[in-house]
Amino acid sequence: MDIKAIIQKLYDTNDASREELLYLLDNIDDDSKKFLIDKAYKTRYKYFKNTVFIRGLIEISSYCKKDCLYCGLRRSNKNAERYRLDTEDIIECAKRGDKLGYKTIVLQGGEDAFYTDEKMIEIIKVIKKELPTSALTLSIGERSYDSYKKLYEAGADRFLLRHESATKSLYESIHNNESFEERRRCLRDLKEIGFQAGAGFMVGLPNQTNEDLVNDLRFVKELEPAMCGIGPFIPHKYTPLRDCSAGTTEKTVILLAITRLLLPKVLLPATTALASIDSNGRNEGLRAGANVIMPNLSPMSVRKKYSLYNNKAFILDEDAEYRNSIEEKLKEAGFELVVSRGDNPDFV
Ligand code: SAM
Ligand code: SF4
């Protein structure tokens, strides 16, 4: 097989077989990586030019009933500091974000029983009433079809639920007794209900192979999510994976670029995890086809408590200063920050 021919095929047809994707991951070198990133950037440019969408991330709860082996919020982590934000705190953060030009608000948290359907509907309705032209994204884990439907009908626009890994054995090895099928059921339901649904996966998980990553790529190609969150795994000191190595910038950037070619219109964040392992990670992600960044809008008093992994970037940056500095930095890197909802083009 010819590696550049595979990349060219990805560029021309937005598809490649399992064998071709595996060959690409197994054999990519500096020259073909450059070629891949160039094609991914051209594809991003076709739909989004050099623009970057920003989302204001509000981390609503550090309580979680789940026990994912990689995450600092897992319920078995007795050292985790727990907090939850109530409706008023969340609205205040959302309004502050709106003034700074964040026209998508993302509410993310552990799976916390405090946020019943009724509570979430109340929060969604107040945000939609106060900020009627903004988009609202939820990232609060697995729920029933009926629950997702109620949240959608209350006004939520998007839902992020990474599939984490599309290999059943790998998924099960990092999720204590959680169902692989159930996670995928949730994603299919979210799509069917009408959400802009976001799948995604971690790169560099312990024992993850290129075959596993090909499973992730084929899974997202087939699901066709509106968004896809891809970031490196980073160990957290109070989890069972504390001594494992983190994923690398290089591998994450390659996966971002291939995902852009498979899903040309996808909303693809340059994640905080990528920026946390590499001070240039955000720019590298954007150059490889990413088109979204998600700065933190959580109250300063809780930021250290939402600790998913070690050495998270930007946690104590002041919102207003940070907002201006991002714009400057993006400009220097050749990107333009846009103040808009930033929907997937298929949902406009
Ligand atoms: N609880 C919800 C869920 O799991 O879907 C949303 C919040 S969860 C903290 C958001 C994402 O953080 C997860 O989908 C996972 O991929 C990522 N994450 C958690 N721990 C991580 C780690 N140690 N390294 C990198 N990403 C991590
Ligand atoms: Fe909970 Fe999400 Fe962390 Fe898993 S990844 S422990 S569900 S917050």
Side-chain angles (χ1 to χ4, degrees), residues 64 66-68 70-71 73-74 109-111 164 308:
C64 191
K66 291 225 166 148
D67 219 15
C68 308
Y70 44 86
C71 178
L73 303 188
R74 66 197 304 267
E111 291 198 16
E164 313 294 5
L308 311 181

Side-chain angles (χ1 to χ4, degrees), residues 86-92 94-95 105 107 118-134 136 154-156:
D86 208 338
T87 314
E88 293 70 40
D89 309 315
I90 296 172
I91 303 306
E92 199 187 307
K95 283 191 186 161
I105 297 298
L107 306 184
E118 291 64 38
K119 187 81 197 158
M120 283 313 302
I121 289 167
E122 171 194 310
I123 296 169
I124 294 165
K125 288 201 165 152
V126 184
I127 293 186
K128 284 297 198 174
K129 184 163 166 270
E130 296 281 343
L131 308 172
T133 56
S134 290
L136 179 59

Side-chain angles (χ1 to χ4, degrees), residues 41-305:
Y41 189 80
K42 283 198 172 117
T43 302
R44 162 209 215 287
Y45 202 86
K46 256 192 237 169
Y47 295 99
F48 303 101
K49 301 283 188 290
N50 65 338
T51 59
V52 176
F53 298 134
I54 47 167
R55 322 301 197 191
L57 178 67
I58 307 176
E59 296 157 333
I60 63 173
S61 174
S62 67
Y63 285 90
C64 191
K65 66 176 189 210
K66 291 225 166 148
D67 219 15
C68 308
L69 265 66
Y70 44 86
C71 178
L73 303 188
R74 66 197 304 267
R75 68 161 188 270
S76 299
N77 178 8
K78 302 294 176 229
N79 293 306
E81 290 186 71
R82 308 291 177 176
Y83 72 90
R84 57 173 67 97
L85 303 182
D86 208 338
T87 314
E88 293 70 40
D89 309 315
I90 296 172
I91 303 306
E92 199 187 307
C93 291
K95 283 191 186 161
R96 193 159 31 82
D98 185 67
K99 288 208 185 87
L100 293 169
Y102 295 91
K103 301 297 171 189
T104 287
I105 297 298
V106 183
L107 306 184
Q108 190 185 78
E111 291 198 16
D112 179 356
F114 175 81
Y115 297 92
T116 57
D117 291 346
E118 291 64 38
K119 187 81 197 158
M120 283 313 302
I121 289 167
E122 171 194 310
I123 296 169
I124 294 165
K125 288 201 165 152
V126 184
I127 293 186
K128 284 297 198 174
K129 184 163 166 270
E130 296 281 343
L131 308 172
T133 56
S134 290
L136 179 59
T137 304
L138 303 178
S139 177
I140 51 172
E142 294 171 33
R143 299 171 88 101
S144 68
Y145 181 94
D146 284 352
S147 171
Y148 286 146
K149 192 151 172 67
K150 284 184 197 159
L151 305 182
Y152 182 72
E153 284 167 356
D157 302 276
R158 310 188 189 124
F159 203 108
L160 293 170
L161 186 88
R162 291 182 177 184
H163 65 278
E164 313 294 5
S165 168
T167 303
K168 187 169 158 60
S169 55
L170 180 58
Y171 183 91
E172 287 173 347
S173 74
I174 52 172
H175 295 99
N176 262 346
N177 297 320
E178 296 291 344
S179 160
F180 175 71
E181 285 78 21
E182 182 64 3
R183 189 92 181 163
R184 293 153 85 99
R185 188 276 300 159
C186 290
L187 275 166
R188 283 192 299 273
D189 284 355
L190 289 164
K191 243 196 112 172
E192 190 201 304
I193 288 166
F195 280 105
Q196 292 178 54
F201 53 97
M202 281 174 281
V203 176
L205 283 166
N207 303 316
Q208 186 183 49
T209 62
N210 283 342
E211 280 85 355
D212 296 324
L213 291 167
V214 169
N215 288 342
D216 290 318
L217 291 169
R218 289 306 315 167
F219 176 73
V220 295
K221 177 64 190 169
E222 276 144 38
L223 181 74
E224 272 207 87
M227 310 178 280
C228 190
I230 301 173
F233 156 73
I234 307 175
H236 184 287
K237 63 181 171 182
Y238 296 131
T239 65
L241 306 184
R242 65 179 70 83
D243 295 325
C244 299
S245 313
T248 63
T249 308
E250 181 168 32
K251 193 85 178 208
T252 307
V253 162
I254 290 169
L255 269 302
L256 284 169
I258 300 175
T259 303
R260 168 60 64 207
L261 291 170
L262 288 171
L263 301 171
K265 294 189 232 172
V266 79
L267 298 168
L268 192 63
T271 55
T272 303
L274 183 56
S276 299
I277 57 164
D278 185 334
S279 56
N280 204 30
R282 179 179 275 171
N283 282 346
E284 287 207 37
L286 293 172
R287 285 196 197 102
N291 63 337
V292 173
I293 55 176
M294 295 170 60
N296 199 327
L297 273 184
S298 306
M300 222 31 115
S301 57
V302 305
R303 288 198 190 172
K304 281 191 179 157
K305 299 180 189 166

